[in-house]
Amino acid sequence: MFRATLPPRAAGIAAGALADALLGDPRRGHPVALFGSAAAALERLSYADDRPRGIAHVGVLLTALAALGVAGERTRGPARALMTAATVFVALGGTSLARTGTQMADHLDAGDVDAARALLPSLCGRDPAALDETGLARAALESVAENTSDATVAPLFWAAVAGTPGTLVYRGANTLDAMIGHRSPRYARFGWAAARFDDVLNFLPARLTGLLVAVCAPLVGGSPVGALRAWRRDAGRHPSPNAGVAEAAFAGALGVRLGGPTQYAHQLEIRPTLGDGPPPDTRDVRRAVRLSRAVQAAAAAVAVSVAARTGRRASPRW
């Protein structure tokens, strides 16, 4: 008799996504933070201002994560589902992203620019001192858009197609990109491998994000056509091959204009314009948060469906 149960990978993805939706990131002892501490400790030994050292640094850390993931993938039944659920929960950051975006809108609505500036580093690496209310709203919306792809769609994508090893390697690569993948004088060469590998791993998830933004746009009064048009027209001008897709799709869906001067600690970037319409305000930040949550739910449903279909083909239950 056929048993209509989810395969372990699909069940684990569903449980991990539900845990993130209910709980968000743990406040202390987050495994991603522990990985970051280990990466920083290794960097003190491995750093040199050249690409080969950076490649070795990334390779050692991600190989260790892949080995841990393979060990988890070799388990069976409930143990494998539990391992997948724990990995997905650790890798996802969508609920914390939405909470932080909402807090940013609350601070701006209250006119508390100092509190908004203090919160901004939780969303992105820009220099908050240089931003007024409009700049803070734009930075928040762009960060919500980019991290909807990086912190939700991409982990779910890799969980569905590559299981626990893929999820761990993706989250490790994305963390290393955030730590050393920028073009500062220290990391221009040492962080090259981290930045390029993160670009490769995010290529397909970013485009899935763009499609899901278009599909979910009507749920927040947005435009699917506007999302697809801005993606096609504007994303290629963004310095990131992946962030440009998510940001342009959000801009087009919400009818706002993103881009422009962007001040980081190490340099000023002049970003291209994404989308049409006025600069975003706090209402648009709140709409972006709602759109992000809708995309997260849709991505979880797609990931569970893909994992269920592939899991049943690999090991049917009768």
Side-chain angles (χ1 to χ4, degrees), residues 220-222 253-256 282-292:
V220 297
L254 299 174
V256 298
T282 54
R283 291 170 298 178
D284 298 311
V285 175
R286 295 187 190 279
R287 291 175 66 213
V289 169
R290 296 199 302 273
L291 180 55
S292 176

Side-chain angles (χ1 to χ4, degrees), residues 93-109 116 119-124 136-145 147-148 281-290 292-293 296:
T95 296
S96 295
L97 171 67
R99 289 174 180 170
T100 306
T102 300
Q103 289 173 356
M104 176 65 75
D106 290 342
H107 291 324
L108 292 175
D109 278 338
L119 182 63
L120 188 65
S122 299
L123 284 170
C124 62
L136 289 164
R138 189 198 113 199
L141 200 155
E142 289 175 353
S143 297
V144 167
N147 285 296
T148 297
D281 58 21
T282 54
R283 291 170 298 178
D284 298 311
V285 175
R286 295 187 190 279
R287 291 175 66 213
V289 169
R290 296 199 302 273
S292 176
R293 285 189 179 276
Q296 293 169 36

Side-chain angles (χ1 to χ4, degrees), residues 6-21 23-26 30-31 69 72-73 75 77-93 155-156 159-160 163-165 167-168 304 307:
L6 286 175
R9 182 182 294 180
I13 292 172
L18 180 61
D20 178 69
L23 303 174
D25 290 335
H30 197 299
E73 198 76 0
T75 57
R80 184 177 177 188
L82 183 60
M83 182 68 176
T84 302
T87 304
V88 169
F89 172 61
V90 166
L92 289 175
L156 290 167
T164 301
T167 310
L168 288 176
V304 171

Side-chain angles (χ1 to χ4, degrees), residues 43-308:
E43 182 184 332
R44 289 192 287 270
L45 301 174
S46 63
Y47 178 81
D49 188 19
D50 59 52
R51 287 184 179 181
R53 284 290 191 95
I55 293 171
H57 178 78
V58 171
V60 167
L61 290 165
L62 297 188
T63 298
L65 289 178
L68 178 62
V70 168
E73 198 76 0
R74 287 175 177 169
T75 57
R76 293 290 182 266
R80 184 177 177 188
L82 183 60
M83 182 68 176
T84 302
T87 304
V88 169
F89 172 61
V90 166
L92 289 175
T95 296
S96 295
L97 171 67
R99 289 174 180 170
T100 306
T102 300
Q103 289 173 356
M104 176 65 75
D106 290 342
H107 291 324
L108 292 175
D109 278 338
D112 194 344
V113 176
D114 290 338
R117 287 172 176 162
L119 182 63
L120 188 65
S122 299
L123 284 170
C124 62
R126 302 182 192 184
D127 181 6
L131 299 177
D132 58 10
E133 291 186 21
T134 300
L136 289 164
R138 189 198 113 199
L141 200 155
E142 289 175 353
S143 297
V144 167
E146 179 179 0
N147 285 296
T148 297
S149 179
D150 288 0
T152 299
V153 178
L156 290 167
F157 174 90
W158 287 108
V161 304
T164 301
T167 310
L168 288 176
V169 168
Y170 170 75
R171 178 45 66 202
N174 191 245
T175 302
L176 290 173
D177 178 58
M179 294 177 67
I180 65 173
H182 39 83
R183 296 181 183 134
S184 66
R186 176 177 173 85
Y187 293 124
R189 284 181 281 272
F190 183 76
W192 174 85
R196 297 291 79 76
F197 191 54
D198 182 74
D199 285 345
V200 170
L201 293 182
N202 274 299
F203 186 84
L204 292 177
R207 280 131 191 94
L208 176 59
T209 301
L211 290 174
L212 292 177
V213 168
V215 169
C216 296
L219 298 176
V220 297
S223 168
V225 173
L228 295 174
R229 181 173 60 241
W231 172 6
R232 183 180 65 251
R233 184 190 64 199
D234 300 334
R237 296 185 289 142
H238 195 281
S240 167
N242 300 318
V245 173
E247 291 180 21
F250 265 76
L254 299 174
V256 298
R257 184 177 72 251
L258 302 177
T262 305
Q263 180 65 59
Y264 291 95
H266 55 279
Q267 66 179 8
L268 173 66
E269 294 184 6
I270 305 300
R271 296 285 180 87
T273 298
L274 306 175
D276 303 308
D281 58 21
T282 54
R283 291 170 298 178
D284 298 311
V285 175
R286 295 187 190 279
R287 291 175 66 213
V289 169
R290 296 199 302 273
L291 180 55
S292 176
R293 285 189 179 276
V295 169
Q296 293 169 36
V302 170
V304 171
S305 177
V306 170

